[in-house]
C-alpha cells in the first residue's frame, strides 16, 4: 500500500548529511557579520532544509499532489495575515496621517 | 494491514453494541448519531440560557432601572456579563455545535453512505472536550466577580486588565472555555473532512455529494485554517490576564490592535463557517419541497469555494475605526463588497430552484424560504457596513447589531429549525406536528422582524451599542426612541413565548407523532433509504450510488424522485 | 469496552490511508497556529529595532545543538518508518526509542536554556521579545512532548507487529515539529 515499495526509497542517511552541511552553513553565515549574508544563510537555508525534510522525510515528493496544495493554502493564508497586519504595525506615518498610538508607544519605550 | 476489514467482518460486530448499557449507549457512545444528538441537545440547552440572557438585558434596556421578572435588578456589571456571554454562547455554544458539529455528525456518514465517522473515538473525545468547555463557561458565571464582562470580541485592554472589566476570574475562564471549544471543533472538523474525503460509499463521485455535506466540510476547512492565529492570540491574552505579560499592553510595547486582527482573522471566516451549513440545509429542503432539481449544483459549489477563499480577505472591515492604516480600508472595502457576489449568486440559485417548482409549504420549507428572505436583509445591510465611508458613521451602533442579528438569526435559529423540522422524522422516526409547527413559524418570524427593524432605526439615530442605561444620555432617551426599545423588547418576549409550541411539539411528537417511515418527504439522499431512526451501523448493506442527489421530477420515471442508490437507467 | 473500528475507517477514496490524511490536515491546522504566532513575532521584531539587542541574549550554541538533535531524531524516525515497511519490528522499535531519546535531549537542553535565561533575569515578563520567545519555544516544546508520548505508546504496538503504519503517521508529525524548529532557530537565535 505504501508507495515507497514501488519507488526506490531515497537514501535517508545521504539526505541527512546534506541537511547537516546546510546546518553548518547556517551557523557559519552569521559569523561573517554581513547582514544580508546572515539573512540568506539563516532564512534561505532554513527554507531549503524545510523543503528537503518535507520532500524526502515526509515523502511529499511522492504523496498525492493535493496534500501539497492544502499545505500551500495554509501557508498562503499566513502570508495573507502577515500582509494584512504589516501596514498596521510597521507603518505609522502616511502622507496626511500619523498613527498617534504607535508614536506614543515609541516615546514611552525610550525611557 | 489491520485496517483491511471486509464489509462482512465489520457488520458482524454490530451485535456487540446492541447489548450495551445506558451509559455506553447514550453517554459514552462512539456512534456518530448519538454524538450528533448530544451536540444538538447541548446546543438547545445553551440556546435557552443565551435566550434568557437576551431577555434580561432587553428588559433592562426597555425599562431601565426596574427589576426584571425572573432576574431582579440588573447592575451595570451584570449587564456587561449578560451581553458578553449572550454573544459568546449564541455563536460558540449554539450556532457552532448545532449547525456544524451536531448536524455534521448526524448527517455526514448517513449522506455519504458509511457506517460511522472514520475516527469514532476522536469524535467522542471532541464532544467530551466540548462538554467540558460548556461546563467551564457555565461555571464562570458563578465565580467571584461573575462571568466575563469585556464584550464577546474581548478587545484588550478591556479584556486583559481586571481593573477595567472587573471580572478577574470570569475573563480567564472565558478564554479557556473558548479555547477548549476550538480544540473540540478542530478534532471534529478533521474528522468531518477525512470522512468525506475517504469514506464515501462506492460510486459517490465529487459531484454526487449532497450540498449540505459539501458545505459542512468547506466550513470545517475554513474554521481550521482561520482559528490557528486566534489560538495563539488567546494564549497571549490569557497570559496578559493571569500572568501580567504585555503582549497587548501598549504601555510596555504591546499592540492592542494585534488582538483585533487575530480575532477578526478568525471572526470573519467564522461567520461563513456557520453560514455555509445553514445554506446547505436550506438547499436540501428547498429542492425536496420544490420537487425540482437543484438549480446550478456546480455553480453553488464553486461560489461556496469562492466565498470560503474570499472570507479570508475581508477581516479588517470590523476595524475601520480602530486606528488601522487608512490605506487598508480601501482594500478591505473592495473585498468586502466583492464577497456579496458569490453569496448573492448562491441565493439566486436557490430562488431559481423555487421557480416553476411544485412547492409544498411544509413547515421546514416555510423556514427555508424565510431564511432566504431574512438573510437577504442581513446581507444587503452589510453593504453599508462594508463600505468604510458609511461604516465610520454606523460603527458600534445598533445598526451593526441589527445587521448581524439579521444574518446570525437566520443562520442559527431559522437554519436550525429548518433542519429540525426536516430531519426530525429521520432522527426519531416520527413527524413533528405541522399545525403547531406553523404556529411556531409565524410566531418566530414576525416578532423577529419586530425586534430588529426598530434597532436599525435606533442605530441610524446614533444609538451606541453596549450601553447599560440610555437615560444617562438625553439625546438617546427621547420618548420616541424609548418607545422603539419597548417595542423591540415586547416583540422579543412574544418570540420567546412562541418557542413554547416548539418544545411542546418536540416532546409530544417524540412519543405520539405520526410514524414517518423511511422516506416521509420522498427525498433522494441516502439517509432516507434507511429505517428511521437509523440502526447502529446505519446501512444493513453498504449502498452504492448511481446518480446525483437531486434528481426530482425526471420525465419517463415512475416516481418523481429516485434515491441516489437506485440503479436502473442512468439519466 | 471492546471497540471495533467502523467500516468507514478502512475506506480510502482518495488513495491515501485515512490516518495519514488526518495527519496532513492536523499539520495544516498547526501551520496556521505557528504561522499566526510567527507572523505576530516577526512584525514586532521588524518594527522595534531594539529587539535585535534582546535577541542577542539567547543561547545560540544551545539552539544549534537542539537543531542538530532534532535533525538527527528526524533521521531516526524516518529509519524507523523504513524498518516498519520492511516489517522489521525490532529495528523499528529501537529507532522509535532513539527518536524519543532525541526528544528527551532536546527538552533537557531547552530546560538548561530556560534556567540560565531566567537566572539572568530574562523571564516571560522582561519584555515582549522574551514573551514571544517563551510562547513560541514553549508551544513547540509541548509539541515535542506530545510527539514523545505518542511514540512511546505506539512503540509497544510496533514491537508486537500491530499497526505498523502508525510509525509513518507519527513520523510525518515529528518531521513537522522539526521543520517548525528549523524556522524558530534562525528567528530567535541567529538573526541578531
Amino acid at each position: 500500500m505504501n508507495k515507497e515499495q514501488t519507488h526506490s526509497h531515497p537514501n535517508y542517511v545521504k539526505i541527512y548529511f546534506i541537511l547537516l552541511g546546510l546546518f553548518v552553513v547556517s551557523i557559519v553565515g552569521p559569523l561573517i557579520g554581513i547582514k544580508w549574508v546572515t539573512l540568506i544563510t539563516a532564512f534561505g537555508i532554513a527554507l531549503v532544509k524545510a523543503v528537503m525534510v518535507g520532500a524526502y522525510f515526509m515523502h511529499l515528493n511522492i504523496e498525492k499532489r493535493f496534500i501539497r496544495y492544502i499545505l500551500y493554502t495554509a501557508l498562503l493564508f499566513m502570508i495573507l495575515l502577515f500582509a494584512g497586519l504589516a501596514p498596521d504595525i510597521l507603518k505609522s506615518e502616511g502622507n496626511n496621517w500619523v498613527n498617534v498610538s504607535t508614536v506614543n508607544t515609541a516615546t514611552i519605550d525610550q525611557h | 494491514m489491520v485496517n483491511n476489514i471486509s464489509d462482512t467482518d465489520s457488520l458482524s460486530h454490530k451485535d456487540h453494541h446492541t447489548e450495551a448499557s445506558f451509559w455506553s449507549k447514550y453517554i459514552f457512545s462512539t456512534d456518530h448519531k448519538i454524538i450528533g444528538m448530544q451536540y444538538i441537545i447541548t446546543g438547545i440547552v445553551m440556546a435557552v440560557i443565551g435566550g434568557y440572557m437576551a431577555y434580561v438585558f432587553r428588559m433592562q434596556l426597555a425599562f431601565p432601572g426596574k427589576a426584571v421578572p425572573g432576574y431582579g435588578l440588573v447592575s451595570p456589571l451584570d449587564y456587561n456579563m449578560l451581553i458578553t456571554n449572550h454573544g459568546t454562547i449564541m455563536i460558540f455554544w449554539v450556532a457552532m455545535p448545532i449547525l456544524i458539529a451536531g448536524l455534521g455528525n448526524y448527517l455526514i456518514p448517513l449522506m455519504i453512505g458509511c457506517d460511522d465517522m472514520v475516527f469514532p473515538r476522536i469524535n467522542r473525545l471532541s464532544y467530551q472536550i466540548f462538554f467540558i468547555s460548556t461546563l467551564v463557561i457555565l461555571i464562570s458565571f458563578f465565580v467571584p466577580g461573575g462571568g466575563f464582562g469585556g464584550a464577546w470580541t474581548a478587545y484588550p485592554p478591556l479584556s486583559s486588565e481586571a481593573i477595567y472589566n472587573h471580572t478577574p476570574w470570569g475573563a480567564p475562564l472565558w478564554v479557556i472555555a473558548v479555547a477548549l471549544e476550538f480544540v473540540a471543533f478542530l478534532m471534529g472538523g478533521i474528522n468531518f473532512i477525512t470522512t468525506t474525503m475517504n469514506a464515501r460509499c462506492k460510486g459517490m463521485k465529487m459531484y454526487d455529494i449532497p450540498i449540505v455535506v459539501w458545505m459542512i466540510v468547506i466550513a470545517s476547512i475554513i474554521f481550521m485554517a482561520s482559528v490557528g492565529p486566534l489560538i495563539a492570540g488567546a494564549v497571549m491574552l490569557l497570559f496578559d490576564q493571569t500572568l501580567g505579560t504585555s503582549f497587548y499592553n501598549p504601555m510596555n510595547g504591546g499592540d492592542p490592535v494585534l488582538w483585533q486582527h487575530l480575532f477578526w482573522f478568525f471572526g470573519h471566516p467564522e461567520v461563513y463557517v456557520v453560514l455555509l451549513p445553514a445554506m446547505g440545509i436550506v438547499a436540501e429542503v428547498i429542492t425536496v419541497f420544490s420537487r425540482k432539481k437543484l438549480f446550478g449544483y456546480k455553480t453553488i459549489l464553486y461560489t461556496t469555494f469562492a466565498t470560503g477563499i474570499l472570507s479570508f480577505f475581508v477581516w479588517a472591515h470590523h476595524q475601520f475605526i480602530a486606528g488601522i492604516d487608512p490605506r487598508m480600508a480601501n482594500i478591505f472595502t473592495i473585498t468586502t463588497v466583492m464577497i456579496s457576489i458569490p453569496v448573492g449568486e448562491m441565493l439566486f440559485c436557490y430562488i431559481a430552484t423555487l421557480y416553476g417548482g411544485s412547492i409544498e409549504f411544509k413547515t421546514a420549507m416555510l423556514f427555508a424560504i424565510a431564511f432566504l428572505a431574512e438573510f437577504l436583509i442581513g446581507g444587503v445591510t452589510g453593504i453599508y457596513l462594508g463600505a468604510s465611508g458609511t461604516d465610520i458613521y454606523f460603527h458600534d451602533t445598533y445598526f451593526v447589531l441589527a445587521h448581524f442579528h439579521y444574518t446570525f438569526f437566520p443562520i442559527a435559529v431559522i437554519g436550525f429549525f429548518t433542519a429540525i423540522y426536516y430531519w426530525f422524522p429521520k432522527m426519531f422516526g416520527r413527524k413533528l406536528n405541522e399545525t403547531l409547527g406553523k404556529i411556531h413559524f409565524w410566531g418566530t418570524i414576525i416578532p423577529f422582524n419586530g425586534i430588529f427593524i426598530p434597532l436599525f432605526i435606533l442605530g441610524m439615530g446614533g444609538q451606541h451599542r453596549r450601553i447599560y442605561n440610555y437615560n444617562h444620555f438625553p439625546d438617546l432617551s427621547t420618548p420616541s426612541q424609548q418607545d422603539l426599545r419597548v417595542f423591540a423588547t415586547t416583540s422579543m418576549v412574544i418570540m420567546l413565548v412562541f418557542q413554547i409550541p416548539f418544545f411542546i411539539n418536540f416532546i409530544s411528537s417524540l412519543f405520539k407523532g405520526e410514524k414517518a417511515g423511511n422516506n416521509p418527504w420522498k427525498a433522494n439522499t441516502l439517509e432516507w433509504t434507511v429505517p428511521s431512526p437509523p440502526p447502529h451501523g446505519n446501512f444493513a448493506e453498504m449502498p452504492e450510488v448511481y446518480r446525483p442527489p437531486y434528481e426530482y421530477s425526471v420525465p419517463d420515471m415512475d416516481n418523481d424522485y429516485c434515491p441516489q442508490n437506485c440503479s436502473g437507467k442512468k439519466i | 469496552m471492546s471497540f471495533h473500528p467502523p467500516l468507514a475507517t478502512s475506506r480510502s477514496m482518495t488513495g491515501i490511508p485515512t490516518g495519514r490524511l488526518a495527519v496532513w490536515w492536523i499539520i495544516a491546522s498547526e501551520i496556521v497556529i505557528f504561522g499566526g504566532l510567527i507572523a505576530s513575532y516577526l512584525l514586532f521584531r521588524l518594527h522595534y529595532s531594539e529587539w535585535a539587542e534582546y535577541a542577542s541574549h539567547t543561547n545560540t550554541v544551545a539552539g544549534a545543538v537542539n537543531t542538530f538533535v532534532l535533525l538527527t531524531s528526524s533521521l531516526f524516525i524516518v529509519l524507523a518508518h523504513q524498518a516498519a515497511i520492511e516489517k522489521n519490528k525490532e529495528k523499528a522499535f529501537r529507532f522509535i526509542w532513539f527518536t524519543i531519546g532525541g526528544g528527551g535531549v532536546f527538552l533537557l537542553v531547552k530546560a538548561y536554556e530556560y534556567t540560565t535565561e531566567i537566572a539572568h533575569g530574562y523571564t516571560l515578563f522582561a519584555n515582549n521579545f522574551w514573551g514571544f520567545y517563551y510562547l513560541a519555544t514553549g508551544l513547540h516544546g509541548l509539541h515535542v512532548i506530545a510527539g514523545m508520548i505518542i511514540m512511546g505508546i505506539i512503540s509497544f504496538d510496533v514491537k508486537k507487529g500491530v499497526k505498523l503504519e502508525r510509525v509513518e503517521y507519527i513520523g510525518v508529525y515529528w518531521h513537522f515539529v522539526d521543520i517548525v524548529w528549523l524556522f524558530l532557530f534562525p528567528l530567535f537565535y541567529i538573526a541578531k
Side-chain angles (χ1 to χ4, degrees):
Chain A
M1 57 155 281
N2 285 304
K3 282 205 161 179
E4 294 87 301
Q5 285 164 343
T6 49
H7 296 255
S8 60
H9 70 78
N11 186 341
Y12 296 123
V13 180
K14 193 176 118 196
I15 290 156
Y16 172 69
F17 280 111
I18 296 172
L19 283 170
L20 280 191
L22 289 170
F23 165 64
V24 171
V25 175
S26 71
I27 299 288
V28 172
L31 299 179
I32 301 167
I34 306 165
K35 198 176 177 191
W36 62 268
V37 176
T38 308
L39 287 179
I40 289 171
T41 51
F43 293 99
I45 285 188
L47 200 64
V48 173
K49 279 191 288 188
V51 169
M52 282 185 69
V53 172
Y56 298 112
F57 285 1
M58 294 163 103
H59 301 111
L60 272 173
N61 55 345
I62 47 171
E63 184 63 281
K64 294 251 180 210
R65 199 167 277 270
F66 70 84
I67 296 289
R68 235 178 289 174
Y69 298 145
I70 292 169
L71 302 179
Y72 288 155
T73 316
L75 280 172
L76 273 179
F77 282 143
M78 285 308 102
I79 292 166
L80 174 72
L81 177 73
F82 186 87
L85 281 160
D88 209 21
I89 293 178
L90 298 183
K91 300 278 175 198
S92 42
E93 284 168 26
N95 289 335
N96 302 307
W97 58 277
V98 173
N99 189 342
V100 186
S101 63
T102 35
V103 174
N104 285 347
T105 319
T107 52
I108 288 161
D109 267 4
Q110 276 160 14
H111 54 253
Chain B
M1 284 290 304
V2 189
N3 267 352
N4 288 338
I5 307 157
S6 72
D7 280 20
T8 45
D9 274 352
S10 158
L11 291 171
S12 69
H13 293 318
K14 265 197 303 182
D15 39 7
H16 286 284
H17 293 268
T18 46
E19 53 207 67
S21 69
F22 170 81
W23 285 94
S24 60
K25 199 171 168 196
Y26 293 110
I27 309 295
F28 296 109
S29 172
T30 53
D31 185 3
H32 71 98
K33 297 185 288 295
I34 301 290
I35 294 170
M37 221 74 96
Q38 287 171 332
Y39 268 117
I40 291 172
I41 288 166
T42 317
I44 293 174
V45 171
M46 292 306 272
V48 171
I49 295 171
Y52 170 72
M53 289 174 160
Y55 156 78
V56 175
F57 67 70
R58 270 311 322 164
M59 289 299 274
Q60 156 67 20
L61 289 172
F63 311 105
K66 298 211 175 65
V68 176
Y71 186 86
L73 278 175
V74 184
S75 71
L77 286 180
D78 286 357
Y79 180 82
N80 286 349
M81 189 274 257
L82 289 167
I83 56 163
T84 304
N85 287 292
H86 167 76
T88 315
I89 285 178
M90 284 305 192
I91 288 170
F92 294 128
W93 276 273
V94 178
M96 294 275 293
I98 290 181
L99 289 172
I100 301 201
L103 288 169
N105 259 314
Y106 197 91
L107 294 177
I108 287 178
L110 279 168
M111 281 188 146
I112 65 173
C114 67
D115 55 347
D116 207 328
M117 287 286 170
V118 287
F119 301 114
R121 282 176 297 184
I122 290 181
N123 208 10
R124 181 179 59 185
L125 183 64
S126 130
Y127 176 73
Q128 287 165 344
I129 293 176
F130 172 73
F131 186 75
I132 292 169
S133 80
T134 314
L135 291 182
V136 173
I137 191 96
L138 291 178
I139 287 168
S140 82
F141 305 150
F142 302 104
V143 294
F148 178 47
W152 82 278
T153 49
Y155 283 3
L158 181 59
S159 63
S160 60
E161 311 261 340
I163 49 162
Y164 298 137
N165 59 37
H166 301 286
T167 50
W169 291 92
L173 282 177
W174 182 90
V175 175
I176 292 167
V178 173
L180 282 176
E181 202 250 12
F182 290 159
V183 172
F185 286 141
L186 273 177
M187 288 176 158
I190 286 171
N191 223 338
F192 294 166
I193 298 163
T194 41
T195 304
T196 312
M197 283 176 83
N198 251 355
R200 300 197 300 276
C201 69
K202 203 174 160 201
M204 186 174 267
K205 297 194 189 62
M206 250 177 73
Y207 296 121
D208 298 335
I209 305 173
I211 283 287
V212 65
V213 175
W214 263 119
M215 296 240 181
I216 291 173
V217 168
I218 293 170
S220 304
I221 296 174
I222 299 174
F223 177 78
M224 216 188 65
S226 63
V227 79
L230 185 60
I231 291 178
V235 176
M236 295 194 236
L237 182 62
L238 190 64
F239 280 12
D240 272 14
Q241 286 169 344
T242 55
L243 301 176
T245 54
S246 48
F247 291 110
Y248 301 124
N249 183 355
M251 296 297 285
N252 294 321
D255 187 352
V257 182
L258 175 67
W259 165 266
Q260 299 186 17
H261 279 292
L262 297 180
F263 183 85
W264 288 116
F265 186 78
F266 161 75
H268 200 84
E270 166 70 13
V271 176
Y272 296 92
V273 170
V274 289
L275 166 67
L276 291 179
M279 283 284 212
I281 291 161
V282 169
E284 299 290 327
V285 172
I286 279 185
T287 328
V288 169
F289 293 114
S290 300
R291 314 305 305 163
K292 205 173 150 238
K293 195 173 172 174
L294 182 67
F295 183 89
Y297 176 97
K298 286 187 185 174
T299 313
I300 292 175
L301 196 54
Y302 298 151
T303 50
T304 312
F305 287 135
T307 314
I309 292 165
L310 270 176
S311 71
F312 283 89
F313 289 77
V314 299
W315 81 89
H317 66 217
H318 296 268
Q319 302 161 257
F320 282 150
I321 64 159
I324 61 163
D325 191 324
R327 285 165 297 197
M328 275 162 64
N330 282 335
I331 300 167
F332 282 101
T333 298
I334 294 166
T335 52
T336 305
V337 177
M338 255 165 69
I339 202 168
S340 58
I341 297 169
V343 178
E345 209 164 318
M346 245 185 268
L347 290 178
F348 276 125
C349 285
Y350 293 175
I351 294 165
T353 310
L354 290 169
Y355 178 77
S358 43
I359 297 174
E360 294 169 66
F361 285 107
K362 294 277 196 286
T363 313
M365 182 62 164
L366 287 174
F367 272 110
I369 294 171
F371 174 90
L372 298 185
E374 305 293 359
F375 185 77
L376 202 62
I377 299 176
V380 169
T381 49
I383 308 269
Y384 295 71
L385 301 170
S388 57
T390 43
D391 182 68
I392 287 167
Y393 177 68
F394 286 129
H395 192 90
D396 260 358
T397 64
Y398 267 58
F399 191 89
V400 175
L401 186 140
H403 155 72
F404 78 68
H405 279 88
Y406 256 103
T407 55
F408 266 100
F409 187 92
I411 292 167
V413 181
I414 301 181
F416 163 63
F417 284 135
T418 313
I420 205 78
Y421 279 98
Y422 182 64
W423 277 295
F424 187 90
K426 185 48 63 186
M427 289 175 176
F428 301 105
R430 288 168 192 275
K431 281 186 181 177
L432 284 167
N433 184 306
E434 282 289 317
T435 320
L436 278 173
K438 277 172 185 154
I439 293 171
H440 172 224
F441 169 75
W442 292 110
T444 306
I445 297 300
I446 295 171
F448 159 64
N449 289 291
I451 303 170
F452 292 107
I453 288 174
L455 299 190
F456 274 126
I457 300 165
L458 283 169
M460 292 180 89
Q463 177 177 317
H464 200 276
R465 285 165 82 180
R466 291 168 183 160
I467 286 180
Y468 161 64
N469 186 343
Y470 289 97
N471 283 347
H472 301 152
F473 302 87
D475 288 351
L476 293 176
S477 56
T478 58
S480 57
Q481 282 172 319
Q482 198 56 33
D483 284 350
L484 284 174
R485 279 177 213 131
V486 174
F487 184 84
T489 302
T490 318
S491 305
M492 186 205 174
V493 174
I494 293 171
M495 190 179 87
L496 289 183
V497 169
F498 270 101
Q499 302 312 305
I500 295 171
F502 169 71
F503 284 102
I504 293 173
N505 194 355
F506 192 95
I507 291 165
S508 69
S509 299
L510 275 180
F511 304 105
K512 290 205 284 258
E514 186 194 335
K515 287 258 185 205
N518 285 5
N519 195 353
W521 313 122
K522 298 188 170 43
N524 278 353
T525 38
L526 285 176
E527 82 270 28
W528 302 106
T529 61
V530 295
S532 325
H536 192 95
N538 296 345
F539 296 90
E541 203 177 314
M542 283 301 146
E544 193 175 344
V545 163
Y546 297 98
R547 56 187 73 244
Y550 301 111
E551 302 272 330
Y552 294 103
S553 305
V554 178
D556 311 328
M557 298 276 285
D558 297 339
N559 295 320
D560 72 338
Y561 70 105
C562 184
Q564 281 189 278
N565 65 345
C566 76
S567 49
K569 79 181 171 77
K570 282 254 186 188
I571 300 154
Chain C
M1 212 165 80
S2 64
F3 174 78
H4 302 283
L7 170 64
T9 314
S10 61
R11 285 185 177 164
S12 178
M13 266 245 170
T14 50
I16 299 177
T18 306
R20 199 164 82 210
L21 187 64
V23 172
W24 284 122
W25 279 108
I26 289 168
I27 287 173
S29 73
E30 299 271 16
I31 287 177
V32 290
I33 296 179
F34 281 106
L37 194 59
I38 289 174
S40 311
Y41 163 74
L42 205 55
L43 286 162
F44 279 110
R45 176 76 176 75
L46 295 171
H47 185 56
Y48 297 111
S49 46
E50 62 268 28
W51 280 33
E53 203 270 321
Y54 304 150
S56 65
H57 297 294
T58 51
N59 190 338
T60 314
V61 178
V65 170
N66 265 349
T67 313
F68 171 74
V69 168
L70 270 194
L71 274 176
T72 314
S73 72
S74 252
L75 173 73
F76 288 152
I77 197 71
V78 85
L79 291 176
H81 168 213
Q82 197 186 330
I85 290 171
E86 291 159 1
K87 299 271 186 284
N88 191 340
K89 293 176 286 195
E90 285 300 323
K91 194 176 164 198
F93 178 79
R94 213 164 48 236
F95 272 116
I96 289 174
W97 277 94
F98 285 163
T99 317
I100 297 175
V105 173
F106 177 88
L107 290 175
L108 284 176
V109 174
K110 200 88 246 172
Y112 163 76
E113 234 181 286
Y114 279 4
T115 321
T116 49
E117 276 150 9
I118 290 169
H120 282 92
Y122 303 121
T123 60
L124 185 61
F125 314 103
N127 53 48
N128 274 343
F129 171 80
W130 290 99
F132 273 110
Y133 168 81
Y134 284 108
L135 202 58
T137 53
L139 189 63
H140 179 263
L142 284 180
H143 281 78
V144 171
I145 294 171
M148 284 165 67
I149 292 171
I150 297 167
M151 279 191 280
I153 293 169
I154 66 165
S155 67
F156 296 103
D157 274 353
V158 169
K159 201 177 187 184
K160 287 182 225 142
V162 182
K163 297 191 176 167
L164 285 172
E165 74 278 6
R166 284 176 173 181
V167 180
E168 182 185 9
Y169 307 159
I170 189 64
V172 171
Y173 169 84
W174 192 258
H175 297 313
F176 170 74
V177 175
D178 185 17
I179 288 177
V180 171
W181 183 258
L182 288 180
F183 286 104
L184 292 183
F185 176 56
L187 278 170
F188 285 100
Y189 295 90
I190 296 185
K192 284 175 180 167

